Amino acid sequence: MSNINLRAADNIRALAIAMVEQANSGHPGGPMGGADFIHILYSEFLNFDPSDKSWPFRDRFFMDAGHLSSLLYAQYYLLGNYAKEDLRNFRQWGSVTPGHPEVDVLRGIENTSGPLGQGHTMGVGAAIAAKFLAARFGNWMDHKIYGFISDGGVQEEISQGAGRIAGHLGLNNFIMFYDSNDVQLSTMTDEVTSEDTAKKYEAWGWKVLTIDAHNHDAIRKALTIANQEQEKPTLIIGKTIMGKGCVTETGTIWEGHCELHGQPIGHTGADFNATLRNLGANTEDPFAKYEDVAAFYDTILNNKKVQAASKKAIIANWKSENPELSNKLDGFLSGKLPELDFESVINKPGLATRAASANILGYLAQNVENMIVSSADLSNSDKTDGFLSKTHALKKNDFSGAFLQAGVAELTMASIANGIALHGGVIPVVATFFVFSDYMKPAIRLSAIQELPVKYVWTHDAFRVGEDGPTHQPIEQEAQIRLLEKLKNHSGNPCFIALRPADSAETNTAWKLAMENTKVPTGLILSRQGIKDLPSSSNSRYTDALELSKGGYSIIDIENPDVVLIANGSEVATLIEGAKLLEEREGIKSKVVSVPSEGLFRLQSKEYQESIIPTDVSAFGLTAGLPINLEGLVGANGKVFGLDHFGYSAPATVLDEKFGFTGENVFKQVVELLKVEKIK
């Protein structure tokens, strides 16, 4: 049996280098080093059902080192998830085997990986989701989350946040393999670091095991110990050899060299065909499964089906004995929301939209049982304490709460949210100041690529943060986030929805839209300061604000307006003031439009868009950020008043006056615009 396991690992190595050689692109050395671990993990420890790939209670494997994609593809090829032609098309147009794995649960790929550090952090999020669900439905559903990290992933700063949080929460269901081969892309690791990785993780509260990861018995022993651990996440430091099995044309061992990391081995001192022969592969058919390995994997797959059937029988028994809980769990896993009445959440007049959001979060805490809300040490400022006040924080050995205190770690928090969403059954919400969305961008991008409905709550949305000064005042952030509304995902849809509500009613409906959006991430951009409630064109401001779902709608609508005034967020109320002055002083009739999301607005029919923003009427936009936020809406002949500079430290009202965000300046700017248009 030991010989067939070695043969299986060598088959994985041969397949990995064949993919890279065929594509003339990729990373062969790492997959050759990690082949022994991945084979033992999948053949003997990872629990899944080959006939039911999306089974909710499967173990999950989260790849951090996305450049080792050929390792995953080779392993899943042996498991029957990929065809030989898929491996031949590695990194090619239209293939299902891209250079870095993209989430594809039905082929076994649990997460999109590539930007180092995020993959294992998403694994931490999945482990949190699993603990959260087990606390509500029982340990019968207990399953493991496995991670695979490289030297680069350990070095990325996000690993500190992931390591700290996993250790602090005692995520014993998270087991991570560290492929420690002393080589990275351009240098040996000792040229960039001298830290003691084991001691670092032990200090965070992890169990750490160090093994020879080419010794199958050592791998088995480590994985057995890790699976038995009850209090801590486990890090298995596997000492591996970069390019394990590589030889020169004459058969001389050529392993452990830096050059084997990021190019086909045929471009190095190793020889491709000689290495294939050394690994027992057929040089005429390098993408073949070894006959004995293929037969061995048929047995493995049959055993996995039997094991899964046994576990499913236990689950079926639990379901029959607990029909109410079973229905609730099914609802969680399907993404079905309970009946929610956002209109019932009453807000005092003139609230900051962050305060209105707090009221909604308090309501959701009492009505949506499968939400985890997280804040980066700002819950009393971003007002996620509205949710926290109705629950309690997740703690080691107690996942009955629903709030994750992430600490000051915005990127880690967002990446964990991606992992929670990938696991399924739990709705993740993360919050911080809008300016700190800068720290989150890599994870936001992966939310978008993976089409994950993470809810981002960003408060303190503009320079009106005031006395905190320019470091805390977002100016360019809205423009950056709104670019994502213009970018399409692989499903052909805008990959992000950004909503900047203009008052409490819009905040309620923005949350409604965010909760109902199960396709892509949503960002809510909320004010620190109070905002005057907008006038209603009906008997219900909430009913009016439901039009937010179209991205833009009229707040003040009149026939034959002289000018259309466009804004979102806090600035809409300022436009109302300006419109009043324009009417009183000059008899200028203004139509006022709120556009919380240009992305959603552009999805509407051309007729609807032109009914809201007529193209034959002069348009003026007001934005607390860069003018580009609204330039596409006002058109070529329009004008946008915004900021082209950083903020300053002063009270918000002073900054409004100094920067020109007043009804008086709206009056002035519009009069000048119409004079210019008249001259034309």
Side-chain angles (χ1 to χ4, degrees):
M1 182 62 73
S2 60
N3 182 57
I4 191 61
N5 283 299
L6 292 172
R7 288 269 295 161
D10 281 345
N11 199 171
I12 291 171
R13 292 184 178 98
L15 291 166
I17 63 170
M19 278 183 267
V20 174
E21 206 77 16
Q22 172 93 358
N24 195 29
S25 173
H27 301 74
M32 299 181 80
D36 295 288
F37 176 82
I38 202 83
H39 163 68
I40 296 297
L41 173 65
Y42 271 85
S43 63
E44 299 181 24
F45 288 87
L46 198 83
N47 296 313
F48 61 97
D49 185 349
S51 64
D52 185 7
K53 303 285 179 54
S54 59
W55 182 37
F57 309 113
R58 67 191 182 277
D59 290 344
R60 290 159 171 80
F61 179 82
F62 277 73
M63 175 62 84
D64 191 284
H67 58 284
L68 306 187
S69 57
S70 59
L71 175 63
L72 266 190
Y73 301 142
Q75 176 63 77
Y76 286 134
Y77 172 48
L78 295 183
L79 289 166
N81 295 6
Y82 289 92
K84 181 186 286 190
E85 198 61 24
D86 295 329
L87 271 60
R88 287 186 185 277
N89 287 326
F90 177 61
R91 287 182 169 236
Q92 304 308 301
W93 172 259
S95 81
V96 293
T97 50
H100 292 84
E102 294 175 24
V103 63
D104 186 350
V105 170
L106 296 184
R107 289 190 176 90
I109 307 294
E110 298 284 358
N111 67 296
T112 296
S113 55
L116 293 179
Q118 289 196 64
H120 82 285
T121 308
M122 286 187 271
V124 170
I128 289 171
K131 287 280 190 184
F132 178 92
L133 292 172
R136 284 149 180 80
F137 300 102
N139 288 328
W140 60 265
M141 67 161 58
D142 187 37
H143 47 278
K144 300 295 184 184
I145 311 298
Y146 294 91
F148 188 111
I149 197 170
S150 65
D151 291 293
V154 169
Q155 290 166 28
E156 276 288 358
E157 292 90 335
I158 192 175
S159 69
Q160 171 170 318
R164 171 180 58 79
I165 291 173
H168 179 68
L169 293 177
L171 298 179
N172 67 301
N173 60 338
F174 187 60
I175 300 167
M176 183 161 70
F177 178 74
Y178 167 27
D179 181 37
S180 178
N181 55 35
D182 301 322
V183 180
Q184 45 199 93
L185 182 62
S186 62
T187 69
M188 304 301 284
T189 56
D190 61 8
E191 294 184 45
V192 301
T193 183
S194 55
E195 72 177 13
D196 188 324
T197 302
K199 287 183 179 178
K200 179 173 73 173
Y201 276 85
E202 286 170 351
W204 285 327
W206 290 55
K207 177 187 284 293
V208 179
L209 306 168
T210 301
I211 63 169
D212 171 2
H214 298 304
N215 182 317
H216 290 193
D217 286 336
I219 295 170
R220 290 187 186 97
K221 182 178 179 181
L223 284 170
T224 300
I225 292 171
N227 273 274
Q228 293 171 345
E229 173 60 39
Q230 296 298 308
E231 296 293 326
K232 302 176 179 181
T234 299
L235 177 69
I236 300 172
I237 301 178
K239 302 305 294 184
T240 61
I241 298 172
M242 174 68 69
K244 174 70 173 175
C246 282
V247 296
T248 65
E249 188 175 6
T250 61
T252 303
I253 297 295
W254 186 266
E255 300 172 338
H257 297 280
C258 184
E259 64 177 344
L260 290 168
H261 186 292
Q263 59 184 327
I265 66 167
H267 295 181
T268 73
D271 182 80
F272 176 60
N273 285 320
T275 298
L276 286 177
R277 288 191 291 270
N278 185 51
L279 296 171
N282 179 356
T283 57
E284 299 300 316
D285 189 7
F287 290 97
K289 299 176 185 178
Y290 302 173
E291 288 186 9
D292 53 346
V293 172
F296 181 45
Y297 264 87
D298 285 341
T299 301
I300 290 170
L301 290 170
N302 286 329
N303 289 338
K304 296 291 184 185
K305 291 175 185 176
V306 171
Q307 293 165 4
S310 177
K311 180 69 177 285
K312 286 182 173 182
I314 294 172
I315 295 171
N317 184 61
W318 176 86
K319 283 177 170 288
S320 66
E321 293 179 354
N322 300 275
E324 189 174 333
L325 280 177
S326 177
N327 288 336
K328 181 182 290 187
L329 177 58
D330 289 344
F332 287 4
L333 295 173
S334 70
K336 181 181 178 181
L337 286 173
E339 291 293 329
L340 297 172
D341 182 4
F342 289 89
E343 188 175 10
S344 69
V345 180
I346 305 301
N347 297 299
K348 294 179 180 178
L351 279 186
T353 52
R354 64 167 176 163
S357 173
N359 293 336
I360 289 290
L361 283 167
Y363 172 77
L364 293 174
Q366 296 172 299
N367 291 277
V368 182
E369 297 180 60
N370 62 327
M371 283 180 68
I372 293 179
V373 175
S374 184
S375 177
D377 193 39
L378 288 169
S379 58
N380 55 338
S381 290
D382 59 35
K383 293 303 176 184
T384 49
D385 57 3
F387 189 92
L388 179 58
S389 65
K390 302 294 193 299
T391 182
H392 57 273
L394 303 175
K395 293 179 286 188
K396 183 177 181 179
N397 298 322
D398 180 8
F399 283 76
S400 62
F403 197 93
L404 174 60
Q405 293 285 17
V408 186
E410 292 87 356
L411 174 57
T412 300
M413 176 179 68
S415 191
I416 283 174
N418 286 340
I420 291 171
L422 285 167
H423 180 279
V426 186
I427 301 167
V429 178
V430 294
T432 188
F433 289 176
F434 191 30
V435 75
F436 300 143
S437 65
D438 284 350
Y439 285 127
M440 308 169 90
K441 293 289 177 21
I444 297 168
R445 189 168 189 268
L446 281 188
S447 294
I449 288 174
Q450 296 176 109
E451 302 181 26
L452 301 177
V454 176
K455 323 301 179 191
Y456 291 92
V457 176
W458 294 308
T459 68
H460 297 59
D461 66 344
F463 62 82
R464 299 178 186 90
V465 175
E467 295 89 342
D468 279 343
T471 60
H472 283 52
Q473 295 174 18
I475 304 297
E476 74 280 18
Q477 281 71 22
E478 186 178 352
Q480 295 169 0
I481 290 298
R482 294 219 181 267
L483 285 176
L484 290 174
E485 291 196 306
K486 302 177 187 298
L487 183 66
K488 291 183 179 179
N489 56 32
H490 287 170
S491 296
N493 301 313
C495 70
F496 195 91
I497 295 175
L499 297 167
R500 187 166 176 247
D503 65 0
S504 295
E506 279 196 10
T507 304
N508 284 22
T509 57
W511 262 112
K512 180 179 186 294
L513 191 151
M515 292 300 293
E516 293 171 353
N517 170 25
T518 61
K519 302 293 186 183
V520 297
T522 306
L524 303 178
I525 305 168
L526 307 172
S527 75
R528 178 200 185 198
Q529 81 290 347
I531 302 174
K532 291 180 180 178
D533 294 323
L534 300 180
S536 175
S537 60
S538 68
N539 294 325
S540 168
R541 174 68 192 119
Y542 176 84
T543 300
D544 297 343
L546 287 172
E547 294 294 291
L548 170 141
S549 65
K550 297 176 181 176
Y553 68 106
S554 299
I555 301 296
I556 296 178
D557 197 6
I558 58 175
E559 291 186 11
N560 302 315
D562 299 307
V563 66
V564 180
L565 308 181
I566 305 167
N568 57 50
S570 313
E571 291 80 76
V572 179
T574 307
L575 291 183
I576 299 290
E577 295 176 12
K580 183 179 179 182
L581 295 177
L582 288 164
E583 174 72 23
E584 290 175 351
R585 297 177 183 176
E586 299 289 338
I588 294 172
K589 296 186 295 183
S590 305
K591 176 176 183 174
V592 180
V593 173
S594 174
V595 187
S597 168
E598 182 181 355
L600 287 176
F601 185 64
R602 295 304 187 191
L603 295 179
Q604 309 308 311
S605 68
K606 184 178 180 182
E607 290 75 17
Y608 178 78
Q609 291 182 48
E610 292 186 356
S611 74
I612 301 301
I613 304 177
T615 55
D616 58 350
V617 179
S618 297
F620 171 78
L622 182 68
T623 175
L626 291 168
I628 197 172
N629 290 338
L630 298 177
E631 285 174 354
L633 292 168
V634 302
N637 296 320
K639 177 181 182 181
V640 178
F641 185 86
L643 292 182
D644 60 359
H645 57 79
F646 291 114
Y648 293 90
S649 180
T653 53
V654 174
L655 292 176
D656 268 330
E657 190 69 35
K658 296 292 185 181
F659 292 164
F661 285 81
T662 63
E664 191 67 43
N665 192 46
V666 170
F667 169 81
K668 176 184 175 184
Q669 296 291 328
V670 171
V671 168
E672 289 180 359
L673 169 65
L674 295 180
K675 283 181 179 177
V676 170
E677 289 298 304
K678 190 174 183 180
I679 292 172
K680 288 182 180 179

